[in-house]
Amino acid sequence: RETLCSLGCASHERRRTPLSAPIAHPRRKLALLAPRLTPSNARLGVWPTLFPTSTTRPERTALPDTTMSSTTKTIWAVSGYMLCSATLLIGNKYAVTKLEAPSFILWAQLFGTAVAVKSAHLLGLISQLDEIEPTKVRAFMPVALIFCATIFTNLKSLEYANVETFMIFRFSTPLCISVCDYFFLGRSLPSPRSWASLLALLVGAVGYGTTDSAFVVKGYEFCALWYFIFCCDQVYLKHVTSTVKMESNWGRVLYSNLLASIPLFFMMGSEVETIRNATPEALMVVMVTVVLGTAMSYYAWLARSLVSATLFTILGNVCKVVSIGINVSLWDKHASPFGIACLLFSLGAAYFYKQAPLREKPAELPTAIPSVTKAESQGSPRRDAHLAGAYP
């Protein structure tokens, strides 16, 4: 009995195949007759087919989008940041009055936040969290130092001055940061309406300064130092959110708080005796500020990644109305009604600020399509199989 040695041989087509001989399946015969598909053919747009087929692929049913929209995410981040910012400033002021150890309070907030985030990840409450890597540590080390200096000077300012005195400097920072946005972050300069809004913020702060009921020269010196560090902090941290790739926002919270807590640990030497004599009530207040600090750090990083540095600063100023209202009800040292009116005028002016857009990038030159040589078009079995994934 004769068997077919090759299905494409013409001599066997003239012979009569016995019934007992194996018959090749028609699809298998078509597969052998079809030309071989190689990556070279794919690059040239030559797709080997025996029969004409439709060029359109069947539509797939889209899965429902369960992610949060950009606008909703921004509103959620900004609302959380404003709420935490309004309460944490008062919490820090109250903690300093109960426990005169600003370095310990700051270290407890930073290290407590890092421990809380890592514990939540181990318990499964946080799905994604960046691991500690040397490259990311080097990238976040300047962030930690600036972050540490900003919060420390903030607490020192509140230790020697009331909240209203601190607000004078806070409301004038958007003027400086808007210029830094232009020179360092690629933003356009503010529009005339936005410039008027920023100047109104400054006018309100100056009017408030004339009614300050507790002028403290040492406090103003710390406020001036905080002003410079704060502007650097807003600009540089916005730069980091755009350049350092992180798996989640909780990774930024972990890195910034953990690294910033290290130098603060060695700055508590002069406060050891005060910490030993701390009352349970004072320690409880510190624990509350740790919780507020964790939430504040998360929402601050999230909001900073979604808006410009200037708008982020203005949002922080808007929430200070709540801080001033709480401060007036808790402490005797506060501004006069005219001073409060000036602050409200400043915050009302912030409503008319519009975020400056990014400057347009120059048009990119068209990229020339590389020519394909004859050798590449023909291809080789070994190379094509390697490109197709047949070899590691």
Side-chain angles (χ1 to χ4, degrees), residues 293-308:
T294 303
M296 172 72 175
S297 183
Y298 174 81
Y299 285 112
W301 277 109
L302 184 60
R304 184 179 281 111
S305 64
L306 298 174
V307 300
S308 66

Side-chain angles (χ1 to χ4, degrees), residues 242-287:
S242 304
T243 56
V244 181
K245 180 66 175 178
M246 303 295 290
E247 294 182 4
S248 66
N249 188 60
W250 286 112
R252 300 188 183 101
V253 176
L254 176 64
Y255 272 83
S256 60
N257 286 273
L258 180 61
L259 295 178
S261 65
I262 297 176
L264 260 296
F265 180 80
F266 300 98
M267 298 175 61
M268 300 186 299
S270 60
E271 301 175 352
V272 175
E273 190 66 25
T274 304
I275 298 172
R276 290 177 179 177
N277 299 329
T279 62
E281 180 184 1
L283 295 178
M284 184 62 64
V285 173
V286 174
M287 289 298 298

Side-chain angles (χ1 to χ4, degrees), residues 12 40 121 147 149 164 176 178 196 227 251 277 385:
H12 287 78
S40 300
H121 176 64
F147 180 75
E164 288 82 9
C176 178
S178 62
Y227 186 94
N277 299 329

Side-chain angles (χ1 to χ4, degrees), residues 204-260:
V206 172
Y208 171 83
T210 59
T211 63
D212 189 3
S213 60
F215 182 85
V216 182
V217 176
K218 190 175 183 180
Y220 279 99
E221 290 176 350
F222 273 105
C223 287
L225 180 61
W226 170 88
Y227 186 94
F228 173 77
I229 299 176
F230 179 79
C231 293
C232 296
D233 174 77
Q234 296 297 306
V235 175
Y236 187 73
L237 266 63
K238 175 62 180 178
H239 171 72
V240 169
T241 58
S242 304
T243 56
V244 181
K245 180 66 175 178
M246 303 295 290
E247 294 182 4
S248 66
N249 188 60
W250 286 112
R252 300 188 183 101
V253 176
L254 176 64
Y255 272 83
S256 60
N257 286 273
L258 180 61
L259 295 178

